[in-house]
Amino acid sequence: MKTISIGIYVDGQLERLRWTLGSLNANTPQDVEILLLLDGVALNETAARTLPAWNRVKLSTTSDARGVAACFNRLASQTETDVLVLLESGVQVAPGWLDRLLAALASDPHNGLAGPSTNNSWNEQCAFPRCGNTAQILATANEAARRFGSEVRTLDPLYSVGDFCYVVRREVVEAVGAQDPRALLDLSDAVRQKLGDAAVVLGCAVD
């Protein structure tokens, strides 16, 4: 059984974090580790204790803002799990989201990185651009499951994956080098060569 850590990139806006933690608490197994990656921001402790799943989370903080790449680096270095998931604060996950992303990784041994379909992204992951509120998101997730089933699609170029949500096998992180997570996020030509032609394939699974 693979162990999983979820890191949430937080740069402010407590209400957006509330959305993400609420959806995680409702749609994610209790044994999955959740790490809040505070990027140069402080949470009001009293307000934070009212957040969903607060008793499940661990905190990782920095005194200054360093960006999403540095936050991923902290997720990789401060956990020892087999699979790493990075979420942007404000993302709302739907029922079955994690199982589908893990299934995308497992569908081919070369798959090392997977991201979901979504209602808000600049690339082809944005399969449902018109859903907005929570009720629409749930309905859209059901429609995505009906439409796509267990289908996995590849994205090319690989760096076009949105950093709002993705799941990565630790082997990929170790191959790239966690000390420079921007290489993982950008998947530059040098990194592609380092990993080999088929080391990382992005699977787009429904969320």
Side-chain angles (χ1 to χ4, degrees):
M1 186 71 178
K2 292 187 179 298
T3 55
I4 304 166
S5 293
I6 297 174
I8 305 173
Y9 167 65
V10 182
D11 61 357
Q13 301 187 47
L14 191 66
E15 192 59 30
R16 290 175 60 82
L17 179 57
R18 187 181 303 278
W19 299 341
T20 300
L21 286 175
S23 66
L24 281 175
N25 203 40
N27 300 307
T28 308
Q30 291 292 314
D31 59 348
V32 173
E33 181 180 21
I34 300 175
L35 186 65
L36 295 190
L37 303 165
L38 303 178
D39 192 31
V41 298
L43 292 181
N44 178 285
E45 185 174 348
T46 302
R49 291 186 181 280
T50 70
L51 291 169
W54 184 249
N55 62 327
R56 294 180 59 183
V57 305
K58 299 178 181 178
L59 299 181
S60 173
T61 64
T62 56
S63 58
D64 57 331
R66 302 177 185 179
V68 65
C71 282
F72 181 84
N73 189 46
R74 282 155 54 202
L75 173 64
S77 65
Q78 295 177 19
T79 62
E80 298 180 349
T81 51
D82 304 313
V83 177
L84 305 171
V85 183
L86 186 70
L87 293 178
E88 184 180 275
S89 183
V91 166
Q92 296 183 65
V93 300
W97 74 284
L98 187 56
D99 288 340
R100 291 189 173 95
L101 287 175
L102 294 176
L105 288 184
S107 65
D108 188 303
H110 289 146
N111 289 2
L113 176 69
S117 59
T118 182
N119 66 319
N120 186 15
S121 181
W122 58 271
N123 64 4
E124 56 264 54
Q125 288 177 262
C126 188
F128 304 95
R130 287 178 292 279
C131 77
N133 62 39
T134 301
Q136 289 175 322
I137 289 170
L138 292 174
T140 301
N142 289 332
E143 171 61 18
R146 185 196 67 78
R147 184 187 303 183
F148 297 132
S150 59
E151 179 182 0
V152 177
R153 302 178 183 179
T154 59
L155 285 184
D156 189 25
L158 291 175
Y159 61 72
S160 66
V161 61
D163 60 10
F164 62 93
C165 172
Y166 57 81
V167 55
V168 190
R169 289 191 291 108
R170 184 168 291 277
E171 296 96 314
V172 173
V173 179
E174 292 173 348
V176 171
Q179 74 279 4
D180 185 8
R182 289 171 300 177
L184 174 65
L185 297 176
D186 294 338
L187 288 169
S188 65
D189 289 340
V191 174
R192 290 180 192 232
Q193 184 175 5
K194 181 177 180 180
L195 290 175
D197 291 340
V200 180
V201 177
L202 171 67
C204 187
V206 295
D207 59 357

